[in-house]
Amino acid sequence: MQILTQRMKLVSANVPLARAEINEPQEFSHLLEATVPENWPPESVVDALPLFLSWLEAAPDQIGWFGWYGLASLDIAGPPTLIGGGGFLGPPSDGVAQIGYSVLPQFQSQGYATEMVTGLIEWALAQAEVSVIQAETEWANPSSVRVLEKCGFVSVGPSDQPGGSRFEFRPHS
């Protein structure tokens, strides 16, 4: 499954991609049909990759509700480059989908996170069971807070983690 944005192609994670991402970097690049930078995956998600894989293995019919890989065409002549990732913490519960995202340092401050989150929001809201999208971030990460604000999220209180805030996106609010 894919989402196309102005400058990116978002590719939904599946079991073969997630397995290769953890165990076989060259196969991961081949399956993704993209250049994978040496510093992939982002530090913020490396420890969670086995968990994401287990979720995909347990619910292969829920593709799209887990990870998405963000690809950008940085070189017209070459394949796209994996610049970041995002997705959801599983299918929605009571109409609420929880979103997360990360962009490699060398691609930050170029609007890619905002573009990726916007694409994921549009995809999620096209699913009948979603009415609210939530995200959590730390106030110590102003870039992440700014991405959420640019995408129309509003702070609704503290997150489950100390020093963080929970944000919500409600369509037409």
Side-chain angles (χ1 to χ4, degrees):
M1 187 176 345
Q2 295 182 4
I3 300 170
L4 298 178
T5 68
Q6 184 177 353
R7 300 177 298 159
M8 299 175 71
K9 174 170 67 171
L10 306 179
V11 177
S12 59
N14 57 39
V15 172
L17 274 169
R19 282 187 184 143
E21 181 178 15
I22 294 169
N23 301 311
E24 303 173 66
Q26 288 188 343
E27 179 65 9
F28 177 57
S29 177
H30 173 74
L31 291 173
L32 203 52
E33 298 178 357
T35 299
V36 177
E38 291 290 323
N39 61 332
W40 186 265
E43 287 182 34
S44 61
V45 298
V46 70
D47 292 337
L49 293 179
L51 176 62
F52 294 148
L53 173 59
S54 71
W55 289 350
L56 282 165
E57 290 173 331
D61 59 328
Q62 297 293 319
I63 299 294
W65 287 118
F66 302 108
W68 292 80
Y69 302 105
L71 311 178
S73 293
L74 305 176
D75 176 3
I76 295 173
T81 299
L82 176 60
I83 59 124
F88 303 94
L89 300 179
S93 175
D94 296 325
V96 178
Q98 295 181 328
I99 195 171
Y101 52 92
S102 183
V103 173
L104 289 173
Q106 66 267 37
F107 304 113
Q108 292 176 1
S109 299
Q110 298 176 46
Y112 287 118
T114 301
E115 189 170 333
M116 182 170 41
V117 170
T118 299
L120 292 170
I121 289 169
E122 290 173 1
W123 180 86
L125 293 177
Q127 315 309 308
E129 62 270 31
V130 176
S131 56
V132 176
I133 300 173
Q134 289 183 343
E136 291 188 0
T137 194
E138 297 175 358
W139 284 108
N141 186 348
S143 296
S144 184
V145 171
R146 182 72 185 125
V147 166
L148 293 172
E149 290 173 342
K150 286 196 293 190
C151 290
F153 283 78
V154 295
S155 178
V156 294
S159 69
D160 294 336
Q161 303 300 316
S165 185
R166 178 170 303 195
F167 289 78
E168 286 189 353
F169 178 91
R170 293 180 180 268
H172 314 293
S173 56

